[in-house]
Structure formats: C-alpha cells, structure tokens
C-alpha cells in the first residue's frame, strides 16, 4: 500500500473557525466577528494505492472556488478565500503521477464541503461514495443555504450511498470495510458535519488516518479542541476523543485535510503525538 498527498491549492479561513470560541450559537457567530485570518492552509486530496486498486479520498478544490467572493452566501462570500490554479486540481495532478481518470477505482468523500468536492468533475467514470446523510444535507436549495455548493456538482453526480454499519472498529461505533482485505475502512467521525466520515488505511503496522476536517491540525485533535463550525459540541468532543484513543492504540499517522504538517508527516511516517 502507498498513500500520496495531492495539494489542491490553498485556503484561508478565520482563526475562530479553526479553534472554536465560546459555546452554542456564539461559537458560530465568532467566525463572522473574528477579524483574524489564518495563514494560507493547504487543501489535500489523498490517493490510496491498495490491493483493490487506486482510491481517491476527497477531491480537493476546483478553480471555480476563486469566484467564492461573489457568492450571495455570507460565509462563502466573506469568511473563506481560496488560491488554486487549474493545473493544481486533482485531475491534472493525478495524470502527472501517471494515474488516468479511468485508473481510479473509487472516490470517497469525507463530506461535501466545497474544498472536498471541488474536483468531482475529474471523475465522470468512477464510483463515488458519499454518506447518505451528508448528501441529504448538502443537496438542493437547503444545501446552498447551509453553504454547500450543490449547483457546482457535475450534472452526472449521483454517488453510491456509503452506509456505515453498526460494526465497532477500535473506538468507532460505526464502520465499513472498503476492500476485500479490510485494510481500508470508513469510520463515522461526526462533528464538523453530522455525517462526516474518515478513512483508515492500514499499511502493515501503520494506520494512515485520513481525517477530513475532524480537526484542522493534529495539535487540536490531541488537545480535544473543537472547531468553530461543529453543530453539536458533545458529538464533536466524542469524535476527537475516539480519534485520540485510536492513535494511542496503534501507530497512526494523522492526516487532516488542512494541516500544514500533514504531507511532511506522511512522507516521514511520523506518528500522532511524536512532535509533542
Ligand atoms: Zn469541511
């Protein structure tokens, strides 16, 4: 097995989104009142070259996100900014690695936020897996009002529902094996969105935990610090706790989508907690 990081440009958000302030509604309003931006953060998509073929986890940003400043949605318009060139989208970068669109067996989305589904257009012939609850929340006008961009999905987008089962996987109550060997597993990591999933790719003794936006970096996960957008603080806290316990139970490289250190940790196989 081999895991590759593909950086699909950069994103900038408010610091109060990365680490939440206060509780309840005030935590979510804090994003809008915060005048402090993060540095430009990477947005990664991941490639898992495993026994069942090539899987892509999340599709990263698309160049269409450069128009986010024109959006009518207040979050999309004011609270997030993107940098990306068309050749930094996931499709061209896969081709540069020698992977054509038809070589990708599956695309799995941790959730449907715009910097995770922005490269869908590159996978017209690939099976795409999405948690059904996430799709329900993201689609249509209601989805747009929540800040999703379903009108940017390709017309053919009709993902296969990724139903997790009540099958315990380490500290995670719900999971689903994605390969015959069971070395790639989807686990339920609700919090950042209610139906957010993460992917565990087990390579020998080492687990790669493709965390999506469960936290914006490793320090926040280890410290159990919530972001500013998770709706249910208890659920989010329980997920961060489960991930931390998972990393303590087996050697794990923790790879969130926007962690500036993620690609380096992947290259060095640096385990969660090793830097602290
Ligand atoms: Zn997100």
């Amino acid at each position: 097995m081999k895991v590759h990081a593909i950086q699909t440009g950069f994103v900038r958000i408010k610091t109060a989104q990365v680490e939440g302030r206060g509780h309840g509604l005030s935590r979510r309003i804090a994003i809008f009142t915060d005048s402090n931006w993060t540095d430009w953060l990477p947005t990664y998509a991941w490639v898992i070259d495993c026994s069942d073929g090539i899987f892509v986890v999340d599709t990263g940003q698309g160049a269409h996100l450069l128009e986010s400043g024109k959006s009518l949605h207040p979050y999309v318009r004011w609270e997030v900014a993107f940098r990306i060139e068309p050749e930094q989208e996931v499709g061209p970068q896969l081709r540069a690695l020698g992977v054509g669109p038809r070589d990708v067996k599956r695309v799995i989305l941790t959730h449907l936020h715009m910097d995770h589904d922005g490269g869908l257009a590159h996978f017209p012939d690939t099976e795409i897996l999405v948690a059904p609850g996430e799709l329900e929340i993201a689609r249509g006008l209601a989805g747009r009002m929540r800040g999703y961009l379903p009108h940017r999905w390709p017309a053919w987008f009709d993902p296969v529902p990724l139903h997790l089962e009540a099958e315990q996987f380490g500290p995670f109550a719900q999971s689903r094996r994605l390969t015959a060997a069971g070395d790639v597993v989807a686990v339920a990591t609700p919090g950042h969105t209610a139906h957010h999933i993460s992917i565990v790719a087990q390579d020998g003794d080492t687990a790669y935990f493709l965390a999506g936006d469960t936290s914006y970096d490793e320090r926040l996960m280890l410290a159990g610090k919530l972001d500013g957008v998770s709706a249910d603080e208890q659920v989010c806290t329980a997920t961060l706790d489960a991930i931390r316990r998972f990393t303590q139970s087996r050697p794990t490289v923790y790879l969130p989508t926007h962690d500036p250190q993620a690609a380096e940790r992947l290259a060095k196989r640096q385990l969660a907690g090793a830097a602290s």
Side-chain angles (χ1 to χ4, degrees), residues 17 111 113-116 192-193 196 213 216 229 258:
Q17 179 173 342
H111 64 305
H113 281 164
M114 64 190 81
D115 48 337
H116 298 257
H192 178 78
T193 69
H196 189 288
D213 289 352
Y216 287 96
V229 292
H258 303 293

